[in-house]
Amino acid sequence: MTTTGSLRLRISHKALMLAAVAAVPHAAFAQSQTPAEEKPEEAQEIVVSGERPIAESEAAALRVQRLSDNLVTVAAADSVGRLPDQNIAQAAGRLPGLAVERDQGQARYISLRGAPNYWTTLSFDGINIVSPEGRDARFDSIPSAIASMIIVSKAVTPDMPGETVAGNVNIVTRSAFDYSGLRVLGKAGYGLAELGDRKEYEANLVASDRWDVGGLGEIGLLVSGSYFERNMVTDNFEIDWERVSQDQRPDSVTRFWARETENKLYRLTRKNWSVSGRLDWRPDADNEISLRSIYTIFTDDEARDNYIFDMDDRQGDLVANTAACPTAINSTPTTTGYADVCIGNTPLAGTVYGVDINQRSTLRAFEQSIFTTTLEGKHTFGDSGFRFEWLGNYTRSRDDRSVVGEARWNSPSTRTLRPTVAYDFTNPQLARVQLFNTLQLASPTRFQAGTGVTAIDTFTKPLSSLRVLDAVDDTDAYTARAIVAYDTGFLGGDATFKAGFQYDQRTKESVNNQILLNTAAQFTQIGLSTNYNDFAIDLPFQGEIPLGYTFRYFNTERMAEVAAAARANFAFAPLTGDNFKVRESVYAGFVMGTLRYDWGSILGGVRMEKLENTGTALATIGAANQTVTAGSSRTLFFPSLHLNYNVSDNGKLRFGYTSGAARADYDQLRPNVVINDANLTISGGNPAVKPERSWGLDSYLEWYIVPQGFLSIGAFYRDVRDVLYTDRRTFNSDALNIGGVDRSDYIFTGIANAGSGRIYGVEMAAQLQLEPWTDDLGLPEWMGGFGISANLTLNDSEVTKPAFAASNIPARKVPLPGTSDTVYNIGGYYEKYGFSARLQYQRRSAWLDGISNDLADAGDTYWAADDELDFSARYAITPNFEVYFDASNLLDNPGRRFTEPGNLLTASGTPTPFTDNLTIEWERFGRRYSGGIRFTF
């Protein structure tokens, strides 16, 4: 909301407490009380005039944070609007202790204080929501326009689900009772993406009103809608590294070769829609009933041209030999040159002769959606001290991963029809390739590079297959909750005792079917030419990365036509190994109490959850499919305790003990198994896997500066047991001894529990404005508009990776996946006289992405350090209209992932330092600029 001059929004103490109620469930029955620490003058209304929207919204957020009985951090709606924060991940990413993971340059996942992102849960108005992807809460599918406040609980309480381990991101939706009467808010914007000169569009509208209906009380209605469209292209290269068994020459233990290098060149259109409605009825001061619904859709229409150079296609030409050899360059080798140090090749530079081109033209129509509806009631029974809260919720999440069509084009087996590729990977920021014709010499086993080739599509690449995929995951979730609270005096303080019950049922079903065509007759039947040049359009590369070759984009309209013809002429076949249905039921109860004194408060209690999982799927045993049903049941207890001590009128010391359990994702719990009796292997889900248990300690000192400002410093520790891990081990069970075959000693690959770990760190934050001190410092009035916000999180994590006997790799210590050692945000702003500007910098250090069992793929994978610089400015033309300008990703740094063999090499007896020069993925997306208007009536 934006106002200046005479138009004023008055946020009362009660309104702020109501916001805290939605954000922190345990506050729900304390809203009628003023905490003992609150001075009478502090309980007066806070006036947000709109003249200082950044500072004033931060003040409102800090008030909610200060009044909370557990550790939270808050972003108010106006703060969300100050920067180019289109989605919730970006909006929350600047809060203390939070870090984001990006996809295609857009913030997607949230990590709290360095913990794995699946330890972070998502909720709307206090109700945990299943993300379309499952346990990994994906925040880029939720537009920030629906939120009035984002409240992150870093220390959980007994009335929060036990699956909340690191913390919860709660999106408090707007209510008509947030405003005094009729209110209309809106935004319209237009933008440009620098890379590829692509367009962006954004619009949102909120309308609300409230009515006095006489003896029936008061009714409030709010509706909102939002739309965002982002068109983009990408610069990309990827390299897959491997250890080559035929390379036995000296020092081979530390050599890893590029099995393939590729470019994935995207043309993308991403859209976010949302519609929401909320009806609130307050018959009287003691009762309130609300009905609220939210529907959000995220779509990703993706056209991907993928050129893969299959360097190891003829790896077998190299004969293993342990003897030393000359390493001078030999341009007429008897091998393809792959992994051959004896012709002068190294893992980072060399030449491979007769390389297979695997080209993929992929058109995807990706969609994720969340529909959630909640009916909730809150009732106070006069002066008895009793209150009752109830709610029912239904949520459907959909993850549609369908592929409209994917055509694959492959080089023929004749090596002279394939390119010779000179590669240079010495710069981790660029994979250079040069293409040449391949010439055969008199000796049938010798080849050399011919003339250089620029246009890659001049090489023969016949069509090998066309695939059409329908892949949809639907999750239906039902929640029922009832809470009874009682206010009384106890042990010399004001006490609130609560007991509650919650039932959750979540059913996820994954249905995957495809059409796969791979014969000339099938291609003819749908009118698809086997020559790529008939399938391409005359559009040059829209990115900027030096590819080393030119290409033509595929025709998306033609792809849609042949995919439709395939659907009309051929039947879908199920992908039985991917189809499953999993149901999870959680029966939960909790008891808790809060004691408030002049010196602070104590909150403690315990939550009990009984978990029941059942799953049904097809198991592929040999050539036959058999239905498999499996399940598990366990009961868990989650105690927690929070102590808040007022060290002064402005200082608060917090201590907390919390516990939680991260459950395996639904696809990991599926009973699908594929049994290969020839290879003695089993792969699939694991319905019996245990939750990942955690307990933690927090200690924070918060200092609220008068009249406005905030400083904090804190330390945290988390211990984790039964770490969830993708393992490869002996099956060691007779559950699949079907048909008289003993499979207990087969090798199983899937999710499992193993090892333990911990994470600890410190967190610091500051928010300061110069305005209160300009007179004392003798500064001119205009300098009072300057302010700063900054936060820093330092982490240290460790988890024990179990030994991998198959490769003689002993147990070793690795960081927790997703954990950055350093995360910080710093921003400066100026706002005065209707003008507001802000510059914000965010950075997180490198983090572990995946743990490897062995060195076959060159070790563990990491994401390199990520940073981003954003700028925003606005000017209020009138009390009702403002113009704005946003600039995002100003540094235009790439996202880079790399593989790191040093830890595994050291564990296996070859001490090797950490290195980040083996890039496996590199993408850049360009700067983005947008501007428009906001209005308020």
Side-chain angles (χ1 to χ4, degrees):
M1 177 176 179
T2 303
T3 58
T4 60
S6 60
L7 185 62
R8 299 166 72 84
L9 167 66
R10 306 184 70 86
I11 301 181
S12 68
H13 165 75
K14 184 175 181 181
L16 287 170
M17 287 300 295
L18 287 172
V21 167
V24 188
H26 70 262
F29 296 110
Q31 58 183 288
S32 64
Q33 299 179 359
T34 299
E37 67 181 86
E38 181 111 339
K39 302 289 191 296
E41 63 271 20
E42 293 177 328
Q44 302 303 311
E45 291 180 308
I46 301 171
V47 179
V48 178
S49 67
E51 297 171 358
R52 302 289 306 279
I54 297 177
E56 291 163 349
S57 60
E58 285 182 352
L62 288 176
R63 189 172 182 85
V64 174
Q65 178 176 312
R66 183 177 184 177
L67 295 177
S68 173
D69 290 316
N70 66 321
L71 184 63
V72 301
T73 187
V74 183
D78 281 349
S79 289
V80 170
R82 289 317 100 199
L83 284 171
D85 296 329
Q86 186 277 321
N87 68 60
I88 292 296
Q90 189 77 20
R94 283 182 301 277
L95 293 173
L98 274 70
V100 299
E101 296 180 28
R102 305 179 192 278
D103 178 74
Q104 302 287 357
Q106 190 170 15
R108 172 169 291 184
Y109 303 108
I110 291 178
S111 170
L112 284 176
R113 297 190 295 192
N117 61 43
Y118 63 87
W119 284 10
T120 303
T121 56
L122 164 68
S123 63
F124 288 153
D125 296 314
I127 301 297
N128 275 26
I129 299 297
V130 178
S131 173
E133 290 189 354
R135 307 281 190 208
D136 295 343
R138 180 172 172 172
F139 293 88
D140 63 342
S141 61
I142 306 168
S144 58
I146 69 172
S148 68
M149 190 172 290
I150 303 170
I151 303 191
V152 181
S153 296
K154 299 177 183 177
V156 299
T157 54
D159 50 357
M160 301 177 70
E163 63 183 337
T164 303
V165 177
N168 170 262
V169 178
N170 186 33
I171 302 166
V172 183
T173 60
R174 302 174 188 264
S175 167
F177 291 139
D178 292 342
Y179 311 105
S180 58
L182 177 64
R183 186 57 53 90
V184 179
L185 316 171
K187 175 183 180 181
Y190 170 80
L192 290 173
E194 192 175 64
L195 187 63
D197 191 27
R198 297 300 169 110
K199 307 297 188 295
E200 293 185 2
Y201 308 93
E202 184 174 8
N204 61 64
L205 184 67
V206 179
S208 74
D209 202 357
R210 52 197 292 181
W211 301 272
D212 187 339
V213 288
L216 295 178
E218 189 175 17
I219 293 176
L221 176 65
L222 182 145
V223 293
S224 71
S226 68
Y227 175 79
F228 176 77
E229 178 181 326
R230 175 184 178 187
N231 296 277
M232 60 185 294
V233 298
T234 61
D235 286 338
N236 164 279
F237 73 84
E238 299 184 14
I239 304 172
D240 290 339
W241 303 90
E242 68 175 353
R243 169 169 278 178
V244 177
S245 59
Q246 290 88 347
D247 177 17
Q248 298 292 323
R249 302 290 182 177
D251 300 323
S252 62
V253 68
T254 59
R255 281 198 295 268
F256 301 92
W257 298 85
R259 181 175 64 85
E260 59 185 33
T261 182
E262 62 182 303
N263 297 106
K264 293 179 180 177
L265 307 168
Y266 294 90
R267 291 166 287 165
L268 300 172
T269 297
R270 289 186 165 182
K271 299 177 182 179
N272 283 80
W273 290 274
S274 76
V275 291
S276 66
R278 177 166 176 161
L279 178 65
D280 293 288
W281 175 39
R282 292 180 180 171
D284 51 50
D286 292 333
N287 297 277
E288 180 175 349
I289 296 176
S290 68
L291 175 65
R292 48 189 185 264
S293 294
I294 301 170
Y295 185 39
T296 71
I297 306 175
F298 170 85
T299 64
D300 186 354
D301 295 326
E302 173 187 299
R304 183 177 70 192
D305 289 85
N306 187 190
Y307 288 89
I308 304 170
F309 299 97
D310 188 3
M311 312 284 269
D312 71 344
D313 179 55
R314 294 178 62 92
Q315 175 180 325
D317 290 353
L318 183 66
V319 177
N321 192 323
T322 60
C325 66
T327 56
I329 294 176
N330 178 0
S331 59
T332 60
T334 58
T335 67
T336 65
Y338 179 67
D340 191 349
V341 297
C342 298
I343 68 166
N345 281 353
T346 72
L348 298 181
T351 304
V352 180
Y353 300 83
V355 172
D356 181 18
I357 300 175
N358 296 330
Q359 179 183 346
R360 299 178 184 178
S361 306
T362 307
L363 183 63
R364 297 180 62 193
F366 181 91
E367 180 179 307
Q368 288 191 336
S369 63
I370 298 174
F371 172 73
T372 181
T373 295
T374 301
L375 179 64
E376 182 176 26
K378 298 177 181 179
H379 311 280
T380 301
F381 298 96
D383 296 327
S384 67
F386 283 98
R387 286 182 297 278
F388 177 63
E389 178 186 290
W390 55 269
L391 68 79
N393 172 269
Y394 168 73
T395 298
R396 162 163 279 207
S397 299
R398 167 165 287 193
D399 184 12
D400 188 339
R401 298 164 283 102
S402 297
V403 176
V404 176
E406 180 181 77
R408 298 193 177 192
W409 323 78
N410 293 330
S411 298
S413 59
T414 303
R415 289 174 64 181
T416 54
L417 296 178
R418 299 178 171 187
T420 288
V421 177
Y423 62 91
D424 183 355
F425 306 141
T426 55
N427 180 359
Q429 302 290 338
L430 181 62
R432 294 182 178 272
V433 296
Q434 290 179 280
L435 308 184
F436 303 87
N437 286 313
T438 302
L439 305 179
Q440 184 171 2
L441 302 181
S443 170
T445 61
R446 288 185 178 271
F447 296 84
Q448 71 176 18
T451 57
V453 177
T454 301
I456 194 172
D457 294 329
T458 60
F459 289 102
T460 301
K461 302 184 282 21
L463 179 68
S464 62
S465 68
L466 176 74
R467 182 175 69 122
V468 178
L469 174 68
D470 283 351
V472 179
D473 295 351
D474 282 324
T475 304
D476 291 302
Y478 300 87
T479 297
R481 187 175 72 191
I483 301 174
V484 176
Y486 177 63
D487 293 329
T488 186
F490 187 72
L491 297 179
D494 295 326
T496 299
F497 297 102
K498 293 170 60 176
F501 169 80
Q502 181 168 325
Y503 171 72
D504 292 279
Q505 178 184 284
R506 300 166 180 173
T507 304
K508 181 167 187 174
E509 183 171 14
S510 183
V511 179
N512 303 268
N513 300 286
Q514 75 168 5
I515 297 171
L516 181 62
L517 311 181
N518 49 27
T519 68
Q522 291 172 328
F523 300 149
T524 300
Q525 189 172 347
I526 62 173
L528 177 56
S529 171
T530 60
N531 186 342
Y532 176 73
N533 292 304
D534 297 332
F535 200 69
I537 58 176
D538 290 323
L539 178 67
F541 178 43
Q542 301 293 289
E544 297 177 355
I545 187 174
L547 298 175
Y549 58 90
T550 62
F551 76 99
R552 295 192 300 158
Y553 288 106
F554 76 87
N555 189 329
T556 57
E557 294 181 357
R558 182 63 182 143
M559 178 67 79
E561 291 173 358
V562 298
R567 288 174 176 271
N569 288 276
F570 298 94
F572 279 91
L575 298 175
T576 56
D578 297 326
N579 295 339
F580 66 88
K581 184 175 183 179
V582 172
R583 172 167 292 178
E584 174 184 74
S585 297
V586 183
Y587 303 86
F590 71 88
V591 291
M592 61 182 288
T594 305
L595 294 174
R596 295 183 177 87
Y597 299 93
D598 290 340
W599 53 263
S601 65
I602 303 173
L603 184 156
V606 64
R607 183 182 187 91
M608 182 275 290
E609 291 187 351
K610 181 179 181 181
L611 311 177
E612 295 180 351
N613 292 298
T614 58
T616 303
L618 289 178
T620 302
I621 303 175
N625 293 324
Q626 297 189 30
T627 300
V628 174
T629 299
S632 65
S633 176
R634 55 180 44 87
T635 301
L636 304 173
F637 293 87
F638 305 106
S640 61
L641 179 67
H642 304 271
L643 172 65
N644 303 286
Y645 178 71
N646 302 322
V647 297
S648 71
D649 289 343
N650 301 312
K652 184 185 289 287
L653 187 61
R654 298 183 185 271
F655 298 97
Y657 167 84
T658 58
S659 56
R663 303 194 286 274
D665 213 339
Y666 301 101
D667 61 336
Q668 296 170 328
L669 294 170
R670 73 191 193 277
N672 296 57
V673 289
V674 176
I675 299 175
N676 189 318
D677 287 321
N679 294 332
L680 307 179
T681 60
I682 302 171
S683 61
N686 182 2
V689 70
K690 295 184 292 185
E692 191 174 62
R693 297 294 304 272
S694 173
W695 62 267
L697 299 172
D698 300 282
S699 177
Y700 276 68
L701 175 63
E702 301 174 345
W703 201 269
Y704 296 85
I705 300 172
V706 177
Q708 187 169 313
F710 173 70
L711 297 171
S712 75
I713 184 170
F716 56 89
Y717 176 86
R718 289 287 181 275
D719 181 272
V720 60
R721 294 286 186 270
D722 296 325
V723 172
L724 293 170
Y725 166 69
T726 301
D727 199 10
R728 187 168 180 263
R729 57 176 173 79
T730 302
F731 187 54
N732 199 29
S733 170
D734 60 3
L736 295 177
N737 290 355
I738 302 171
V741 178
D742 182 3
R743 300 182 175 91
S744 60
D745 60 350
Y746 282 18
I747 297 298
F748 170 78
T749 302
I751 193 73
N753 298 108
S756 60
R758 50 86 181 146
I759 179 172
Y760 62 83
V762 296
E763 179 184 317
M764 293 164 275
Q767 293 181 15
L768 300 168
Q769 296 91 41
L770 194 55
E771 182 81 29
W773 298 286
T774 52
D775 290 341
D776 294 339
L777 297 174
L779 299 175
E781 179 187 350
W782 64 267
M783 292 192 67
F786 285 104
I788 188 172
S789 63
N791 57 77
L792 169 68
T793 304
L794 302 175
N795 296 307
D796 186 275
S797 70
E798 184 178 87
V799 62
T800 300
K801 164 67 174 67
F804 185 59
S807 297
N808 295 317
I809 303 293
R812 58 193 178 98
K813 303 289 188 181
V814 297
L816 269 172
T819 302
S820 292
D821 290 342
T822 305
V823 178
Y824 65 89
N825 300 278
I826 184 168
Y829 67 82
Y830 181 85
E831 56 174 4
K832 208 169 180 66
Y833 314 117
F835 174 75
S836 174
R838 189 167 193 169
L839 186 68
Q840 188 85 26
Y841 176 74
Q842 309 170 53
R843 179 179 174 83
R844 65 177 301 188
S845 60
W847 68 94
L848 180 66
D849 180 55
I851 303 174
S852 180
N853 271 325
D854 53 35
L855 286 162
D857 295 320
D860 303 329
T861 59
Y862 287 79
W863 278 103
D866 173 75
D867 59 356
E868 185 161 335
L869 181 68
D870 298 332
F871 172 78
S872 69
R874 56 167 283 270
Y875 179 70
I877 301 173
T878 73
N880 303 101
F881 287 94
E882 72 172 30
V883 293
Y884 72 90
F885 170 76
D886 295 327
S888 306
N889 195 32
L890 291 175
L891 300 178
D892 194 21
N893 288 331
R896 188 174 75 91
R897 198 156 52 103
F898 60 91
T899 189
E900 201 292 304
N903 189 295
L904 269 166
L905 285 169
T906 300
S908 57
T910 305
T912 306
F914 186 94
T915 178
D916 66 351
N917 67 326
L918 298 182
T919 298
I920 58 176
E921 182 178 359
W922 185 99
E923 286 187 312
R924 186 173 58 198
F925 315 99
R927 300 173 182 87
R928 303 189 304 277
Y929 309 95
S930 63
I933 63 168
R934 294 187 180 98
F935 57 87
T936 304
F937 296 101

